[in-house]
Amino acid sequence: MKLFPDGQRVGLGGAPLGNLLGEVHEADAVAAVDAAWDEGWRYFDTAPHYGLGLAEERLGLGLRSRPRDEYVLSSKVGRIIYEASDAATDDEGFDVSTTRRRRWDFSPDGVLRSIEDSLRRIGTDRLDVVFVHDPDDHFEEAVATAFPTLIELREQGVIGAIGSGMNQSAMLTRFVREIDIDVIMLAGRYTLIDPDGLDDVLPACVENDVQVVAVGVFNSGLMSQPRPAAGTTFNYEPAAQSLIDKANKLADICESHGTTLPAAALAFPLAHPAVAGIAVGCRNAEEVHTNAALARMEVPAALWSDLKSAGLLREDAPTP
């Protein structure tokens, strides 16, 4: 299926709507969805994991008045959200205090329940794409039960496409080569500063006609600003000084070509033939409009050759 309708190759990533790394007010979250729609973005991704269902609920609020056939919606399976007797603060990066908890479940019943729960939280009648989410420590269960269940649902026409979303490329490569999947969500492993997906998963996707949604293109905070800010993060951890230094060198060359580091970071993954598009996490309408403007910026072709000449970008990386 076509993941990014109407030639638009940017979509909204839903993790921030679930209070990732800090509180987001509901009005701001819904405004982010509205702004994404106004910018022409028609791909929306979420997951039960994001804020223990909060991101799905907020995305649903933002999409409830939108024609269902005019956008592509993806969510994920692998974690079940359930109710506990007492409230607690989440310990997996989301600023929520709730009676909800999560548990791993890749069983057929778990997959079906997860999808049903997502449909209820979002308030929709179907998911277009379903990813097996973060099965790093659950390879056997994912292969034995989760993927076969999703394949059956796809064959029944219940969902349009299936795949997996992860922060690593090695296991994704195995899934691409060994499982009949349609798409992967590659988080942080094909970016301007970390393009190592070129070594395994991206060639596998080309060979097996599997589409890629590239996410984490800023590697959390490192490339989200023209210059790395104080306390910046790489993959949600404090960034090493060597990475900050590299980001500043990248920024030097971007600025010499009249563009910015985040504009180049958004443009870079889209040049690879396997990448269908990117999803960008945004916390409010302002961030959506900022990223949409960056994605529209013309990045000079000479930038890429200069980055390669400076040893800041791999020679084998496809560029716009």
Side-chain angles (χ1 to χ4, degrees), residues 71 84 89 121 123 129 168 173 187 199 223 237 255 287 305 313:
Y71 63 88
T89 300
R121 284 190 291 263
V129 185
Q168 59 153 296
T173 304
D199 292 330
M223 295 186 289
E237 300 288 342
E255 291 170 8
E287 289 189 2
S305 57
L313 183 61

Side-chain angles (χ1 to χ4, degrees), residues 234-285:
F234 176 81
N235 294 353
Y236 307 106
E237 300 288 342
Q241 188 60 48
S242 60
L243 290 170
I244 295 172
D245 293 343
K246 182 176 181 179
N248 276 307
K249 291 176 182 177
L250 288 165
D252 288 341
I253 296 179
C254 288
E255 291 170 8
S256 74
H257 286 276
T259 190
T260 67
L261 178 59
L266 286 169
F268 170 69
L270 294 171
H272 196 283
V275 175
I278 59 177
V280 184
C282 301
R283 302 170 63 85
N284 51 48

Side-chain angles (χ1 to χ4, degrees), residues 82-88 98-101:
Y82 66 96
E83 291 288 338
S85 59
D86 58 326
T98 176
T99 56
R100 293 177 180 177
R101 304 285 194 276

Side-chain angles (χ1 to χ4, degrees), residues 6-301:
D6 304 323
Q8 172 61 261
R9 300 183 69 196
V10 182
L12 183 66
L17 306 185
N19 290 4
L20 178 65
L21 301 182
E23 182 182 8
V24 175
H25 294 295
E26 182 172 286
D28 287 333
V30 174
V33 181
D34 289 337
W37 190 273
D38 292 342
E39 289 287 357
W41 297 3
R42 293 295 183 269
Y43 176 80
F44 298 88
D45 176 69
T46 186
H49 173 55
Y50 302 157
L52 293 154
L54 181 63
E56 290 186 317
E57 292 169 343
R58 288 174 164 180
L59 180 61
L61 288 174
L63 291 175
R64 62 185 172 182
S65 65
R66 308 300 183 182
R68 184 61 188 87
D69 292 339
E70 293 187 13
Y71 63 88
V72 172
L73 174 63
S74 64
S75 193
K76 305 180 181 75
V77 297
R79 295 173 174 92
I80 294 292
I81 308 302
Y82 66 96
E83 291 288 338
S85 59
D86 58 326
T89 300
D90 183 56
D91 60 0
E92 295 198 29
F94 295 91
D95 186 6
V96 292
S97 181
T98 176
T99 56
R100 293 177 180 177
R101 304 285 194 276
R102 59 172 74 77
R103 69 168 182 263
W104 294 105
D105 193 335
F106 295 88
S107 71
D109 286 346
V111 168
L112 294 173
R113 175 178 168 180
S114 182
I115 292 173
E116 290 171 0
D117 288 349
S118 291
L119 294 175
R120 174 180 50 79
R121 284 190 291 263
I122 300 169
T124 188
D125 62 346
R126 70 184 186 277
L127 299 175
D128 301 298
V129 185
V130 178
F131 295 103
V132 177
H133 198 190
D134 296 337
D136 302 70
D137 298 321
H138 306 272
F139 177 84
E140 290 79 10
E141 301 120 288
V143 171
T145 56
F147 283 119
T149 304
L150 292 179
I151 289 171
E152 183 176 352
L153 292 174
R154 184 185 61 191
E155 290 174 349
Q156 294 171 353
V158 176
I159 52 182
I162 68 166
S164 182
M166 302 183 72
N167 292 284
Q168 59 153 296
S169 62
M171 192 177 293
L172 282 176
T173 304
R174 290 196 63 181
F175 293 151
V176 169
R177 296 196 183 280
E178 300 172 19
I179 309 293
D180 179 21
I181 62 174
D182 309 290
V183 57
I184 63 166
M185 179 164 280
L186 182 61
R189 302 285 74 79
Y190 192 59
T191 72
L192 190 58
I193 209 162
D194 182 3
D196 288 346
L198 284 170
D199 292 330
D200 49 15
V201 70
L202 291 171
C205 287
V206 171
E207 293 166 12
N208 291 275
D209 196 25
V210 171
Q211 299 180 77
V212 176
V213 179
V215 299
V217 298
F218 297 138
N219 287 114
S220 65
L222 184 60
M223 295 186 289
S224 63
Q225 303 295 326
R227 293 280 173 172
T232 192
T233 58
F234 176 81
N235 294 353
Y236 307 106
E237 300 288 342
Q241 188 60 48
S242 60
L243 290 170
I244 295 172
D245 293 343
K246 182 176 181 179
N248 276 307
K249 291 176 182 177
L250 288 165
D252 288 341
I253 296 179
C254 288
E255 291 170 8
S256 74
H257 286 276
T259 190
T260 67
L261 178 59
L266 286 169
F268 170 69
L270 294 171
H272 196 283
V275 175
I278 59 177
V280 184
C282 301
R283 302 170 63 85
N284 51 48
E286 181 181 2
E287 289 189 2
V288 172
H289 293 309
T290 295
N291 284 317
L294 289 168
R296 288 191 293 267
M297 284 185 66
E298 188 72 27
V299 178

